Amino acid sequence: MNALSLFLPGVAIVYYGGEIGMEDIPVETNYARAPMQWSNTTYAGFTDGDKNKPWIDVHPSYVTRNVEDEYNDPKSNLNFFKSVSKLRHTDTLKKGGLATYIFDQVYVLTRYLPRNENYTLIMNMGSRSQTVCLADQIPRLYGSLTVVIGSENSNFNPG
């Protein structure tokens, strides 16, 4: 959902930990954001725990989903987030138009600006793989598309 927020016009709001795909943790009858997962060390690197322990348990995913590990993985949530964030500095995302399309559970957003690169975000909101022929459905898609950023679960790589 961060990609959607970053791709839309206006201010992008990201809850801390969203850039690495952190999840909330159940606390009593509700859910809460656990301490930031900086590393796969004790208490996720949030504290050393000698004098201070987190007031909420660390999410068990900290072992594999943390800033330190994701920093070195080119297809991690963190690096995907950083790449999409950089696109927000382009004229297309700062000043360009927006077109949206929905094909079953596949959401497509296109940002366009004449005489600039156009960018298309394709998100499968369903739980199964889907095939959509965008060229037949969306105007302003000229020739072939180049993958600029592929997410962690995407079968596509940049290039």
Side-chain angles (χ1 to χ4, degrees), residues 7-9 90-101 109-114 116-120 140:
F7 215 73
L8 290 170
T90 64
D91 284 341
T92 303
L93 266 68
K94 287 195 284 188
K95 305 176 201 173
L98 170 69
T100 60
Y101 308 90
L109 287 81
T110 298
R111 297 299 304 271
Y112 56 90
L113 185 65
N116 286 270
E117 293 285 331
N118 295 337
Y119 298 99
T120 301
R140 289 186 291 277

Side-chain angles (χ1 to χ4, degrees), residues 4-15:
L4 176 62
S5 176
L6 292 168
F7 215 73
L8 290 170
V11 176
I13 304 296
V14 179
Y15 196 33

Side-chain angles (χ1 to χ4, degrees), residues 1 6 13 17 31 35 41-42 55 63 66 72 75 77 80-85 104-105 121 127 138 152 158-159:
M1 295 310 286
L6 292 168
I13 304 296
Y31 284 84
T41 60
T42 305
W55 58 97
V63 175
N66 60 71
N72 296 312
K75 292 207 59 157
N77 282 310
F80 178 77
F81 180 88
K82 287 166 52 175
S83 297
V84 175
S85 294
D104 191 21
Q105 293 186 325
L121 175 67
S127 58
I138 300 175
E152 184 177 43

Side-chain angles (χ1 to χ4, degrees), residues 39-58:
S39 68
N40 63 5
T41 60
T42 305
Y43 300 116
F46 182 78
T47 179
D48 62 14
D50 289 341
K51 295 180 184 175
N52 301 304
K53 292 187 178 177
W55 58 97
I56 295 175
D57 290 337
V58 174

Side-chain angles (χ1 to χ4, degrees), residues 3 7 12-13 20 23 29 33 49 61 69 91 100 121 135 153:
F7 215 73
I13 304 296
I20 64 168
E23 299 176 50
T29 60
R33 184 59 72 158
S61 69
D69 289 345
D91 284 341
T100 60
L121 175 67
N153 296 319

Side-chain angles (χ1 to χ4, degrees), residues 2 14-22 33 36 70 77-78 81:
N2 283 325
V14 179
Y15 196 33
Y16 82 89
E19 62 271 31
I20 64 168
M22 271 182 59
R33 184 59 72 158
M36 184 65 184
E70 289 199 12
N77 282 310
L78 176 62
F81 180 88

